[in-house]
């Protein structure tokens, strides 16, 4: 999605940059509007691998302090972290005059919970395991995910932040 949006924006001669992070900012491509920027971005995006925990709130605060001009900031995250610090960091970006689009991206299975029977679920960041019976969990789980997304949707609406809920089954 980030690559597709980069392609469209560079086609309009808009400068595009990229910041990647986990516990802290890892990579930073300064905004440019050249075709070479798309190549650089694709190269960087192809090297990203999920690993360990993410400190979204702190990384967004670092990003806010790095931006010198009012910008369009697109954030791609599963938002599976404590909401309040993330909302504070998003507020900092918004109050600094940036336009913010929050892409809330979840795996299709995180949204639909297609699992049945006895399961062992593992947290990909901490490695912690939970045993559960999938039968009877599907609807309560789906309701909880929808409530989680709705809370972000409503908060973003109040803050005039664009919110886009996606899952990995959504075509570009």
């Amino acid at each position: 999605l980030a690559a597709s949006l980069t392609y469209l924006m560079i086609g309009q001669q808009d400068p595009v940059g990229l910041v990647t992070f986990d516990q802290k900012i890892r990579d930073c491509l300064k905004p440019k509007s050249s075709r070479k920027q798309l190549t650089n971005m694709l190269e960087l995006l192809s090297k990203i691998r999920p690993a360990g925990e993410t400190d979204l709130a702190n990384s967004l605060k670092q990003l806010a302090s790095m931006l010198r001009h009012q910008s369009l900031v697109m954030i791609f995250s599963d938002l599976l972290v404590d909401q309040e610090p993330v909302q504070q960091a998003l507020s900092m970006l918004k109050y600094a005059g940036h336009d913010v689009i929050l892409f809330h991206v979840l795996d299709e299975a995180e949204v639909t919970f297609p699992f049945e029977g006895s399961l062992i679920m593992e947290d990909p960041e901490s490695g912690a395991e939970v045993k559960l019976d999938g039968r009877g969990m599907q609807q309560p789980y789906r309701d909880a995910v929808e409530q989680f997304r709705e809370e972000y949707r409503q908060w973003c609406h109040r803050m005039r932040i664009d919110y886009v809920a996606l899952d990995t089954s959504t075509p570009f």
Side-chain angles (χ1 to χ4, degrees):
L1 180 57
S4 296
L5 291 170
T6 297
Y7 176 80
L8 292 172
M9 293 178 76
I10 287 177
Q12 299 177 143
Q13 299 298 312
D14 291 326
V16 180
L18 176 69
V19 174
T20 65
F21 57 88
D22 48 34
Q23 290 286 345
K24 62 181 182 177
I25 290 179
R26 294 292 174 188
D27 297 293
C28 184
L29 283 178
K30 293 185 179 187
K32 295 181 184 176
S33 56
S34 68
R35 292 280 177 199
K36 177 76 172 142
Q37 183 74 340
L38 178 60
T39 303
N40 294 338
M41 226 175 203
L42 291 171
E43 183 179 331
L44 183 57
L45 287 170
S46 71
K47 293 178 182 176
I48 297 173
R49 299 289 178 261
E53 295 184 19
T54 302
D55 189 344
L56 178 59
N58 188 50
S59 296
L60 291 176
K61 288 176 185 176
Q62 288 177 14
L63 175 63
S65 69
M66 292 169 53
L67 296 173
R68 298 290 172 232
H69 306 287
Q70 290 182 348
S71 303
L72 171 61
V73 179
M74 292 184 260
I75 301 157
F76 302 86
S77 175
D78 59 14
L79 300 173
L80 297 176
V81 293
D82 188 22
Q83 286 181 330
E84 187 175 328
V86 171
Q87 289 172 346
Q88 289 173 353
L90 290 168
S91 295
M92 286 177 62
L93 286 165
K94 190 64 181 172
Y95 290 136
H98 304 292
D99 289 324
V100 179
I101 303 173
L102 181 60
F103 290 93
H104 189 178
V105 184
L106 295 172
D107 185 272
E108 180 181 12
E110 289 176 312
V111 176
T112 62
F113 198 83
F115 311 107
E116 295 180 6
S118 295
L119 305 166
I120 298 176
M121 305 296 278
E122 180 180 335
D123 182 323
E125 292 183 355
S126 69
E129 293 183 348
V130 175
K131 295 179 182 180
L132 58 97
D133 183 0
R135 288 179 288 263
M137 293 290 298
Q138 289 173 329
Q139 196 56 51
Y141 176 88
R142 289 177 190 149
D143 291 346
V145 169
E146 185 52 37
Q147 180 181 353
F148 173 59
R149 285 178 148 182
E150 186 59 27
E151 287 170 7
Y152 264 107
R153 186 179 296 112
Q154 289 178 11
W155 183 86
C156 286
H157 179 75
R158 287 192 304 273
M159 294 298 298
R160 298 184 185 266
I161 292 173
D162 291 320
Y163 175 84
V164 181
L166 302 169
D167 68 63
T168 55
S169 71
T170 306
F172 289 122

